[in-house]
Amino acid sequence: MTKKITLSETGAMLLAAKKIVLVCHVSPDSDTLGSALGLMRKLEQFGKEIVILVDDDIGTEFNFLPGITRCIRPQSNKSIYADILAIIDASTFDRIGLAGEVVKAKITLNIDHHISNAQFVDYRYLDIEAAATGEIMCDLFETMNWKYDLEMATCFYAAISTDCGFFRYSNTTHKTMLRAAELLSAGVRPNEISDIIEMKSRSTIELLAKVLATLSFEYSGRVAYITIANDLYDKNIQTDSFVSYPRYINGVEVAIMFKAVEPEVTRVSLRSSNIDVSKIAIKFGGGGHLRAAGCTINAPVEEAKQQMFTALKEIL
Ligand code: 5GP
Ligand code: MN
């Protein structure tokens, strides 16, 4: 049974522990990494022993996040004992990969903002109104009267700004903006962070050119999709931004990127202007938010597409 706790209970629980393992989700983004790294820095000021686990490669685009070199990959033969396993920005147990197996903790805690959250821990703080887990971190800092230094503020600003598309998406609220303003007061320069995050490698843009050529439509133009076939897929090339191209086309309600990460495994990213795509992702064992969700379909890319279009038929 998962017990819902308040922010002050969350803070008190962290302060009562000696050793805490913070875990980010696989396919790590600025929100999961920034939230964990900023929290780590504060908890270390209180003398806590902190380990950060990420069961995935971490792109070099995150090198600007203070403390990023502290992220380590869990190893199957190496158990880690801790008072608390705190899972940051992940909505299901499978999103933390091997970390879920190797960490032996007295308490499991989940801090998250996904509507699809599956209640898989002992204690949970969930706020689906928060634009980012980084925004929840700011709420936690305020509740606990913890102050930010520039490094923490940088981590949380990166977390918040990316998850709300630099304050453009529907999850951006009055409070999101206020939290960002506080982080600016702590010295964050938004242009410096957005320049780093928006920067793309040449290989990303070269791949984008090929992927845009696959743009196709279904359901009279209400669905637009792009495809990264397995022979084009390269795990070292960033493709997160690609799905925004089909997303911003007149008349498109659902945008999809199909990525053949293996010949029989397809990663699917869903974006929408008006449809709850988290529901579709959940059908395939994935999850996410109302307007941005994802899942993995264990099928070749063309078969995955047919499965996805069939599922969409019921909703459109
Ligand atoms: P993206 O399309 O950028 O990979 O993911 C969009 C959103 O959906 C993110 O908030 C991400 O956390 C969530 N998401 C993506 N893939 C999965 C998945 O396989 N499982 C779950 N639970 N959430 C996912
Ligand atoms: Mn997030």
Side-chain angles (χ1 to χ4, degrees):
M1 258 288 276
T2 296
K3 187 173 187 303
K4 293 172 192 161
I5 56 172
T6 63
L7 276 178
S8 53
E9 287 168 332
T10 304
M13 193 176 279
L14 292 168
L15 290 179
K18 268 164 80 175
K19 179 169 177 181
I20 301 164
V21 178
L22 302 175
V23 182
C24 301
H25 62 71
V26 294
S27 304
D29 57 14
S30 294
D31 190 25
T32 193
L33 293 170
S35 298
L37 290 167
L39 180 61
M40 169 183 80
R41 205 172 155 86
K42 178 52 74 182
L43 292 174
E44 285 185 338
Q45 287 181 348
F46 292 114
K48 307 300 170 191
E49 188 190 337
I50 308 293
V51 174
I52 299 195
L53 295 181
V54 189
D55 189 18
D56 212 337
D57 295 328
I58 301 175
T60 51
E61 68 274 20
F62 299 114
N63 284 354
F64 75 99
L65 288 172
I68 191 75
T69 55
R70 293 281 306 280
C71 295
I72 56 173
R73 210 167 170 154
Q75 287 175 318
S76 54
N77 55 351
K78 263 198 193 161
S79 296
I80 301 177
Y81 294 87
D83 297 312
I84 299 180
L85 166 65
I87 298 164
I88 310 296
D89 191 44
S91 57
T92 52
F93 191 66
D94 60 301
R95 290 282 283 166
I96 61 169
L98 208 52
E101 281 170 41
V102 304
V103 181
K104 315 285 178 208
K106 293 173 194 149
I107 291 174
T108 54
L109 166 69
N110 181 207
I111 303 176
D112 187 32
H113 70 128
H114 291 89
I115 192 170
S116 61
N117 189 285
Q119 308 203 29
F120 57 101
V121 290
D122 301 327
Y123 297 94
R124 177 181 81 168
Y125 183 80
L126 175 73
D127 179 2
I128 61 166
E129 301 292 319
T133 299
E135 188 178 315
I136 299 176
M137 289 299 155
C138 295
D139 297 343
L140 176 66
F141 271 50
E142 184 180 80
T143 303
M144 301 306 290
N145 205 13
W146 296 344
K147 301 285 171 266
Y148 315 105
D149 62 17
L150 177 58
E151 285 81 2
M152 294 166 199
T154 299
C155 288
F156 297 154
Y157 186 87
I160 293 172
S161 61
T162 49
D163 257 32
C164 67
F166 290 93
F167 311 99
R168 290 177 298 133
Y169 301 159
S170 59
N171 59 356
T172 307
T173 64
H174 176 83
K175 187 158 137 282
T176 312
M177 295 282 203
L178 288 178
R179 291 304 185 205
E182 287 167 18
L183 298 170
L184 297 205
S185 298
V188 168
R189 304 292 299 260
N191 61 309
E192 288 173 10
I193 294 184
S194 72
D195 282 356
I196 293 168
I197 291 170
E198 294 289 297
M199 189 61 70
K200 293 177 180 63
S201 67
R202 262 175 71 166
S203 47
T204 289
I205 301 299
E206 283 161 4
L207 178 60
L208 175 64
K210 294 176 191 156
V211 171
L212 281 181
T214 71
L215 177 68
S216 307
F217 298 87
E218 278 290 329
Y219 299 110
S220 317
R222 296 173 72 194
V223 175
Y225 62 97
I226 51 176
T227 308
I228 306 182
N230 190 243
D231 58 338
L232 279 184
Y233 174 70
D234 178 343
K235 74 175 173 57
N236 297 313
I237 302 180
Q238 272 290 116
T239 57
D240 293 354
S241 59
F242 290 8
V243 71
S244 68
Y245 291 90
R247 161 84 168 78
Y248 290 102
I249 299 174
N250 246 329
V252 170
E253 294 171 63
V254 180
I256 314 173
M257 176 166 73
F258 295 97
K259 190 156 72 173
V261 294
E262 283 172 44
E264 310 251 319
V265 181
T266 306
R267 274 285 313 159
V268 183
S269 285
L270 296 150
R271 299 291 184 272
S272 176
S273 51
N274 58 349
I275 283 165
D276 180 358
V277 284
S278 73
K279 276 195 192 142
I280 304 169
I282 288 170
K283 280 192 182 173
F284 291 94
H289 308 283
L290 293 176
R291 308 278 176 257
C295 58
T296 300
I297 300 180
N298 290 312
V301 69
E302 291 308 318
E303 198 181 312
K305 281 180 193 172
Q306 292 320 313
Q307 290 183 23
M308 183 51 70
F309 297 150
T310 304
L312 276 167
K313 200 175 203 165
E314 293 163 26
I315 286 164
L316 287 169

